[in-house]
C-alpha cells in the first residue's frame, strides 16, 4: 500500500497541509527571496519562471506540503515527500524551504520531526538529497540525526547543470 504523502500534520509551531494551486502566490512570496537559495544548487529558484517549474513539479508529485506558522496562519514555506521506492522501503523528504525569519533552529527540526514520525509509520527509511556544497542544509541534516550515506556524490540536474549531491538517511527507530 502506498504511503500517505499528503497528510495534515500539526505541531507546536507549525501546521503542514497538502499544497494546492491556490498556494502559488503565498509560496512564491516566500521563495522570491534570493538569499533562501544562495547556497542551494538551484540558486536561481527565486525567479518566477524557475519557481513556477519547481511549484508545478511539486504539485505533480502528489507529495507537496505547505507549511504554516500556527500562531499567525501565515505561509512560511514548503516541503515534500517524493521518490517512494517500495522495493527498498524508502522515501525521500526534501524540496524544503522556509522564510528566513524561521531559520536557525526549532522550526526546521519540528517540520522534519512531524514528517518523519508520520512517514516512519509506513516506510522504513527516509532519505534526504542535499547539494554537496549546501553547508546550511548539511548541518541541518546532522542536527536532526541524518547519517551520510557512503559513496561518491550523485550527480543531479539542477539549474541546467549536473551538480553533485550527497544522500543522508534516517531509518525507522
Amino acid at each position: 500500500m502506498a504511503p500517505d504523502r499528503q497528510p495534515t500534520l500539526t505541531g507546536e509551531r507549525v501546521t503542514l497541509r497538502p499544497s494546492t494551486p491556490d498556494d502559488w502566490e503565498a509560496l512564491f512570496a516566500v521563495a522570491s527571496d534570493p538569499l533562501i537559495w544562495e547556497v542551494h544548487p538551484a540558486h536561481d529558484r527565486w525567479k518566477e519562471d524557475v519557481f513556477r517549474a519547481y511549484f508545478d513539479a511539486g504539485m505533480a508529485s502528489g507529495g507537496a506540503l505547505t507549511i504554516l506558522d500556527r500562531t499567525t496562519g501565515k505561509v512560511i514555506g514548503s516541503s515534500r515527500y517524493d521518490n517512494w521506492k517500495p522495493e527498498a522501503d524508502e522515501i525521500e523528504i526534501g524540496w524544503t524551504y522556509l522564510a528566513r525569519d524561521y531559520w536557525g533552529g526549532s522550526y526546521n527540526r519540528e517540520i522534519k520531526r512531524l514528517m518523519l514520525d508520520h512517514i516512519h509509520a509506513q516506510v522504513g527509511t527516509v532519505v534526504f538529497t542535499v547539494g554537496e556544497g549546501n553547508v546550511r542544509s548539511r548541518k541541518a541534516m546532522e542536527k536532526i540525526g541524518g547519517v551520510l550515506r557512503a559513496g561518491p556524490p550523485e550527480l543531479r540536474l539542477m539549474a541546467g547543470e549536473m551538480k553533485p549531491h550527497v544522500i543522508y538517511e534516517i531509518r525507522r527507530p
Side-chain angles (χ1 to χ4, degrees):
M1 187 164 129
D4 176 9
R5 297 184 307 133
Q6 281 203 305
T8 296
L9 306 171
T10 303
E12 192 176 312
R13 294 175 180 84
V14 298
T15 297
L16 290 83
R17 61 158 174 76
S19 295
T20 71
D22 290 341
D23 291 325
W24 159 257
E25 189 173 313
L27 288 172
F28 180 63
V30 173
S32 64
D33 177 352
L35 291 178
I36 289 176
W37 309 104
E38 183 177 39
V39 296
H40 191 277
H43 55 273
D44 62 348
R45 203 171 272 162
W46 59 271
K47 297 177 182 175
E48 186 171 358
D49 60 326
V50 177
F51 185 76
R52 172 55 78 179
Y54 170 83
F55 179 84
D56 291 347
M59 294 305 299
S61 77
L65 299 170
T66 296
I67 304 164
L68 301 111
D69 179 319
R70 278 199 61 206
T71 302
T72 65
K74 179 181 173 182
V75 170
I76 63 170
S78 180
S79 194
R80 186 188 319 171
Y81 293 111
D82 207 348
N83 299 322
W84 177 48
K85 297 179 182 172
E87 70 285 354
D89 194 28
E90 178 178 290
I91 197 164
E92 186 171 357
I93 291 177
W95 302 268
T96 306
Y97 65 94
L98 288 172
R100 283 191 291 143
D101 290 348
Y102 297 87
W103 284 7
S106 61
Y107 284 88
N108 187 54
R109 278 194 301 276
E110 181 173 295
I111 291 161
K112 295 303 190 314
R113 183 187 52 77
L114 289 167
M115 292 180 76
L116 286 162
D117 288 352
H118 168 76
I119 208 67
H120 269 148
Q122 304 163 69
V123 179
T125 301
V126 177
V127 296
F128 301 81
T129 303
V130 179
E132 185 178 42
N134 189 342
V135 177
R136 209 167 26 221
S137 291
R138 291 184 71 165
K139 285 182 179 180
M141 282 309 314
E142 292 163 8
K143 283 181 182 177
I144 66 165
V147 176
L148 185 63
R149 272 193 180 166
E154 295 181 11
L155 293 176
R156 302 263 174 117
L157 184 63
M158 298 216 105
E161 299 175 35
M162 296 303 284
K163 306 227 176 165
H165 286 71
V166 294
I167 308 297
Y168 287 85
E169 66 179 38
I170 298 178
R171 295 184 183 274
R172 179 187 295 135

